[in-house]
Amino acid sequence: SKKGPSTSAPRKRGKKHCNFTYQQVTILRKWFMEHLDDPYPSPLVKEDLCAKTGLSWKQVSDWFQNARCRTLPKSLPNARSRSTLAKAKNGNMMNAATNEWK
């Protein structure tokens, strides 16, 4: 018999997906929308958000990374330009981001 790669799909190993509570997302989203001009929380801010939400450092960091990807426009070379972020802060992009997070 010939040994080779398995024909069945490999099993994914990792932690089970966990949805955040409404309160956790509200706290994170509030900080994010209030800081669209610089949506990168400092380590001290992340510690505070971890304490307020009960989430781990990695969960908070991953949430912000995902939020930036979902909210800031991908098509612009400088997605963090002040005019783009001002539009987002005024709600043009906030509604789209809020709908994605539901």
Side-chain angles (χ1 to χ4, degrees), residues 29-42:
R29 188 183 302 149
K30 182 178 185 290
W31 191 95
F32 183 78
M33 290 308 198
E34 289 174 354
H35 297 87
L36 280 173
D37 56 326
D38 186 21
Y40 295 85
S42 70

Side-chain angles (χ1 to χ4, degrees), residues 28 32 61-72 97 101:
L28 296 172
F32 183 78
S61 295
D62 289 351
W63 187 92
F64 276 96
Q65 182 177 5
N66 290 334
R68 288 188 296 268
C69 288
R70 289 180 184 132
T71 306
L72 301 178
W101 289 333

